[in-house]
Amino acid sequence: MSTTAMRDYLDGPHKAARDVVRAELAAHADLGDLAVRLPRDEYRDRILDLLLRSAAEGLPARGYPKEYGGAADLGGFIAGFETLAFGDLSLMVKAGVQFGLFAGAIQHLGTEQHHQQYLADAISGRLLGCFAMTETGHGSNVQALGTTATYDESTDEFVVHTPTAAARKDYIGNAARHGRMAAVFAQLVVGGERHGVHCLLVPIRDADGAALPGVTLTDCGPKLGLNGVDNGRIVFDQVRVPRAALLDRYAQVDADSNYSSPIENPDRRFFTMLGTLVQGRVSVGGAAINASKVALTIAIRYGAQRRQFGAPGSEEEAILLDYRMHQRRLLPLLARTYALHFAQAELVDEFTRVFSDESRDEHDRRALEAQAAGTKALGTWHATETIQMCREACGGAGYLAENRLATLKADTDVFTTFEGDNTVLLQLVAKGLLTDYRESFGKLDPLGTARFVAAQAVEIAVEKAALRPLIERLRDVVPNRNDAADPDAGLRDDAYHSGMLRYREEHLLSGVARRLKAGIDAGDDPFDVFNRCQDHVIAAGRAHVDRIVLEAFQSAVRNAPDEVRPLLQDVYDLHAVATIEAERAWYLEHGRLSPGRSKAITALVNDLCAVVRPAAVELVDAFGVPGSAVEVPMVVPSQHE
């Protein structure tokens, strides 16, 4: 296989955008150790300098309208942002705050007046900003934010105020040192009436960097990682901004205290506003997947070089990556990284389609939000697991800061709660599935409903009687024609993989739907009913995303060039079978696997690790991580670079 061909296929239609960022990262050979080499304030200023250099090169502007200096290339913008994760993650996060969240709020929530006044400066870095949503006491519960923005008709101003300690804006990127303006999310109060959370642009510093009157700025202090980002806290004390500071795409306030919105329902209006900011969630998930690629590149290259122990009597020690357990540690994670890469690519394509077409309806946007939430959750959890395993696989060398895994581990840890706590996000996914499930059920005629209920009853009865394991045992004893020629042929069948994951998803979803309905029909409080089922809800959401990721990989294999398809098929098979193996206890409990077939799956994972092993270094080289990001002291540069 040609490493270049695989890299080109992975890069996809946005290869040019990725290569521009790769070249920019390669030009700064010191990016790998800034976090451990520089004092905190110097580190933050160095990150700012790199941010402004990238802005001067026009990299952040790629996704914005041409009239403001952009290229109107949303997909390329996100691809470039993801690629920043190959370098210093503080730079990537600071870029996300400035060019994704702050500038994104202006673009998506503002109107022409805001675009004309602020957008070009925001995407060029001339106006450094913050995204002030999160509060100390409310976290992910944005609807319950305590900050208020009260309209004063006598002065035609909004008064922004922090009424309690719990309403303090917290963990705000750019707030501690560099930000001059904040996109502040607050409860809008007009004429004594609350209208829910809206966003306003509020200056927080003057040109000399001093806090403006009524604004208190404090530093969050040292963090587990990402110390190149100046996270801070903001408190407002009756800060006045003009009425035009309201980002008014979805709601307007006139000089006579009249509030109006094209979206009458407050909840729908709120979720529509938040939905326009889904870009941040899309980008963080992709960045986490790319951070996994960096860790795997380091660990697999090291494992392909490092020798330890060996056969008794042999003078030569064995290569680490030739040990089956070392393969088991790293290669299924490599396969899952490929799977998540293709799922992320599909998500970016859908994001581009939805946000490039104003006619796309609310259902499309909600589906995109759910897809983004699920992919971000699995991508960031995967990064945490992968980087930890890579660190362990590199032993003591992996623990040294100079070899970068320690910094990767620290810097990515927050991704699981950044841009939404993963557990909350999977709950969002499952709620969307339950809504669709309820609507589909509601469309059934009486006969269809009866058949559905009967099918559910039969399914439960089958599980209780343990008939499915019996059927699986019969299949194991009497193999079909294909199985006779190749005992695990059926286990490498795409339809088998999809069927297993789809069954788990649908079973979990129907089960939680039954539990919720039973509790509500019994007269229990709906919140208590949902709380009792929350673990079940999360499992259903995760099962859905697992299936989406699997099928994205299947599609990628089908569409791959002939040169890379055979190897990509092997990597896909490893991912698919390892995914089923990870849930084999559930499949055994629910009669979808016999003990014998479960053992065959584990044996096949081992066999596929051996199949993928000879190409492991080429597979990580195909990620195209710039040399300066992975040429750490413990790894000799790869011959495939």
Side-chain angles (χ1 to χ4, degrees), residues 499-510:
M500 290 290 277
L501 267 65
R502 189 174 290 277
Y503 175 83
R504 175 170 157 79
E505 174 191 351
E506 293 178 352
H507 190 287
L508 285 166
L509 187 61
S510 64

Side-chain angles (χ1 to χ4, degrees), residues 34-35 38-51 81 84 87-99 101 128-131 170-179 205 218-233 284 407 410-412 414-415 418:
L34 291 178
L38 296 179
R40 189 180 67 181
D41 285 347
E42 289 184 32
Y43 181 24
R44 290 172 169 182
D45 289 344
R46 172 72 169 139
I47 291 298
L48 175 62
D49 177 60
L50 291 168
L51 182 84
F81 178 83
L84 276 176
D88 188 292
L89 286 166
S90 284
L91 174 60
M92 184 275 297
V93 170
K94 196 171 183 74
V97 170
Q98 175 66 30
F99 306 121
L101 295 176
L128 296 174
C130 311
F131 187 78
D170 214 342
Y171 319 114
I172 309 302
N174 269 355
R177 191 171 179 87
H178 299 135
R205 279 190 177 87
T218 54
D219 198 314
C220 287
K223 307 185 293 287
L224 177 63
L226 297 176
N227 283 300
V229 182
D230 53 324
N231 292 91
R233 301 181 173 109
V284 167
T407 302
D411 284 351
T412 57
V414 75
F415 285 11
F418 186 40

Side-chain angles (χ1 to χ4, degrees), residues 7 10 22 86 293 297 334 337-338 619-625:
R7 182 179 302 180
L10 289 172
R22 284 189 180 111
F86 287 159
K293 295 174 186 177
T297 300
L334 174 62
T337 302
Y338 266 75
L619 286 166
V620 294
D621 287 351
F623 292 146
V625 183

